[in-house]
Amino acid sequence: MQKILNFIKKNKQFSFFFLLVILLIFVAVFAPVIAPQDPYISDLKNALQAPNSEHWFGTDKLGRDIFSRLLYGGRTSVLTGLSVAIVSAAVGVTLGCISGYFGGIIDNLIMRFTDIMMSFPFLIIAIAIMAALGSSQKNIVIALAIVSWPRFARLTRGQVLSIKTQEYVESANTAGYSDMRIMFNHILPNCMGPIIVQLTLAVGSAILSAASLNFLGLGVDASLPDWGVMLNQGRNYLQTASYLTTIPGIAISLTVLAVNWIGDGLRDAFDPRLRV
């Protein structure tokens, strides 16, 4: 672990994007304090104002402050990304651990179901699930978690297959430890490196997918501040008020880039061949 921490400290790009993500989380948590105006209040007299001293990022067609809505939209995006990653990891890691450890018919059933889930386009399944469940942030988390867990299941299964043949696992079997204890106390902790990397990458993917669903009108209510919703509402003003789509687009891009870069940095840090 000390070698991993030293490797991360030397990686300046990782440190920069890590601080950027911390800043985004801070801004999202304290958005009600930082936001200069209420993002829900309309002011038609100030509709479609370009960025100025009063409205730093301008106003939308209803006169709502873009900067305030951007801050509140970060709360929705960050919360959705973290929720999807945690739920899909919990399901996928559990199934992958069971599949890899027990093998046989259990492994075949779980992996064939995983193959079926991964054979369909990611976003198409999410859209179909959202159409069936209805539009809400909770349903976005459910839909994206359903289509995201197979990646964790396959990754975990591969790690378990390589670890369960180690001598310390055989010793635990000989000592009469239960299967649950061996899986979650001896095998799973040694799989956490790749799982943490995948968890980080899943956050960025979930943020981007949630923004896509909200842009298509299948996510949260259009009155709520969300980056995908802001993109959807600004697409009709690309020529007259391009800032309506440029600003939330940059926010989405920077957030996903930062999270993915952290995932790449963690992947390199957990690879012993790159820490030599």
Side-chain angles (χ1 to χ4, degrees):
M1 184 58 67
Q2 187 61 44
K3 292 181 179 179
I4 293 173
L5 292 176
N6 291 335
F7 180 88
I8 291 175
K9 290 178 182 178
K10 295 178 182 178
N11 192 329
K12 296 181 180 180
Q13 292 176 328
F14 177 90
S15 301
F16 171 77
F17 284 108
F18 180 78
L19 292 176
L20 178 59
V21 169
I22 295 298
L23 177 62
L24 289 172
I25 294 175
F26 176 84
V27 169
V29 172
F30 294 99
V33 179
I34 301 174
Q37 299 186 26
D38 192 323
Y40 300 97
I41 295 180
S42 301
D43 184 8
L44 296 178
K45 293 182 180 179
N46 294 317
L48 295 177
Q49 282 194 1
N52 53 58
S53 58
E54 183 179 0
H55 302 283
W56 296 350
F57 291 168
T59 60
D60 62 9
K61 63 180 181 180
L62 297 178
R64 297 172 297 191
D65 185 63
I66 295 295
F67 179 67
S68 300
R69 289 181 65 80
L70 192 74
L71 296 181
Y72 274 79
R75 304 183 79 186
T76 306
S77 298
V78 171
L79 179 61
T80 300
L82 291 174
S83 300
V84 170
I86 292 172
V87 173
S88 57
V91 175
V93 169
T94 302
L95 291 177
C97 196
I98 294 173
S99 176
Y101 182 79
F102 289 105
I105 188 172
I106 295 177
D107 181 32
N108 285 329
L109 288 174
I110 294 176
M111 284 300 102
R112 295 302 74 77
F113 182 64
T114 302
D115 292 338
I116 292 172
M117 292 296 298
M118 296 186 70
S119 64
F120 294 99
F122 180 89
L123 197 57
I124 298 299
I125 301 180
I127 291 174
I129 296 173
M130 287 300 301
L133 297 179
S135 299
S136 71
Q137 185 177 1
K138 180 184 72 174
N139 290 341
I140 288 180
V141 174
I142 294 174
L144 294 180
I146 289 175
V147 297
S148 299
W149 68 263
R151 293 179 175 84
F152 287 95
R154 277 207 165 277
L155 174 65
T156 306
R157 175 182 178 269
Q159 294 295 313
V160 171
L161 287 175
S162 63
I163 292 175
K164 74 175 185 179
T165 58
Q166 298 294 320
E167 294 176 352
Y168 63 87
V169 177
E170 295 179 358
S171 299
N173 272 314
T174 304
Y177 292 164
S178 66
D179 292 331
M180 291 297 106
R181 179 174 179 178
I182 294 174
M183 278 194 296
F184 295 104
N185 286 10
H186 298 273
I187 296 179
L188 188 57
N190 291 284
C191 304
M192 291 310 297
I195 291 174
I196 291 174
V197 175
Q198 180 61 34
L199 183 68
T200 307
L201 297 175
V203 174
S205 176
I207 292 174
L208 190 59
S209 300
S212 301
L213 291 173
N214 289 325
F215 175 79
L216 295 173
L218 298 171
V220 297
D221 187 85
S223 63
L224 297 177
D226 178 85
W227 293 344
V229 171
M230 294 171 69
L231 283 174
N232 185 16
Q233 294 174 345
R235 62 188 174 87
N236 296 323
Y237 303 92
L238 286 174
Q239 295 183 347
T240 57
S242 60
Y243 61 88
L244 292 176
T245 53
T246 302
I247 292 173
I250 291 175
I252 295 172
S253 300
L254 281 178
T255 303
V256 175
L257 175 64
V259 173
N260 286 345
W261 206 290
I262 289 175
D264 288 339
L266 289 175
R267 181 192 59 195
D268 295 342
F270 279 103
D271 189 343
R273 294 171 298 179
L274 299 177
R275 299 201 306 268
V276 177

